[in-house]
Amino acid sequence: MKSRIFLALLALGGASSAYASDTCSVNLEGNDAMKYNLTNIDVPRTCSNFTINLSHTGKMAKNVMGHNVVVAKTTDMAGIDADGIKAGLAADYLKAGDTRILGHSKVVGGGESTSVSIPVASLTAAGAPLSFFCSFPGHSALMKGTVTLK
């Protein structure tokens, strides 16, 4: 009986550790219909870094229907997007050295994945409101959401 209780507590402890590490990351999916599976990402202030794992669940190539994820102040989205179009696919549709960007992934095509890790201190320092979006030309109109510090 005691061994069963011990094993149950051990299992809970392991689950608790796995859960704790998962709170500093999120899995985000983009598809061929230009949609993310999330409209908000909660970022715990207790994390030192926060990771967004992006998976392109579609089938189209990145030059046709590529996706990335960019995190920035909501007021900076349009400017980042406009400058990114000029930068082109080779630059992941992001202007080199753009200080408005708090974090970004590379552009991926169907079946590919990528991730970006962002220092939570930089999100806090930027102030609210924050957003995430895809900078592939025309995608940010549909592929966007909010980032909430909790």
Side-chain angles (χ1 to χ4, degrees):
M1 179 68 168
K2 286 183 183 181
S3 63
R4 285 186 185 169
I5 293 171
F6 176 75
L7 289 174
L9 289 173
L10 185 62
L12 283 174
S16 175
S17 297
Y19 177 78
S21 65
D22 288 345
T23 61
C24 292
S25 69
V26 68
N27 295 323
L28 181 66
E29 296 176 358
N31 61 33
D32 287 342
M34 288 185 1
K35 291 189 179 183
Y36 285 134
N37 65 322
L38 302 174
T39 57
N40 181 68
I41 295 174
D42 289 332
V43 177
R45 293 179 190 270
T46 56
C47 297
S48 57
N49 289 297
F50 189 81
T51 302
I52 301 172
N53 301 304
L54 175 65
S55 295
H56 190 318
T57 60
K59 297 188 184 312
M60 295 179 156
K62 73 179 182 179
N63 64 325
V64 177
M65 185 60 70
H67 299 314
N68 66 353
V69 61
V70 180
V71 177
K73 290 172 73 170
T74 304
T75 56
D76 290 335
M77 282 177 54
I80 292 168
D81 212 23
D83 290 342
I85 291 171
K86 298 173 201 165
L89 178 59
D92 295 313
Y93 294 107
L94 297 168
K95 177 181 159 186
D98 193 333
T99 58
R100 298 170 295 183
I101 299 169
L102 301 173
H104 70 87
S105 72
K106 66 180 184 172
V107 173
V108 294
E112 297 178 324
S113 297
T114 188
S115 64
V116 58
S117 185
I118 306 165
V120 174
S122 69
L123 299 177
T124 304
L130 300 172
S131 293
F132 68 94
F133 63 100
C134 177
S135 67
F136 193 97
H139 288 198
S140 65
L142 298 173
M143 296 185 78
K144 61 185 174 183
T146 56
V147 175
T148 307
L149 293 167
K150 295 276 185 177

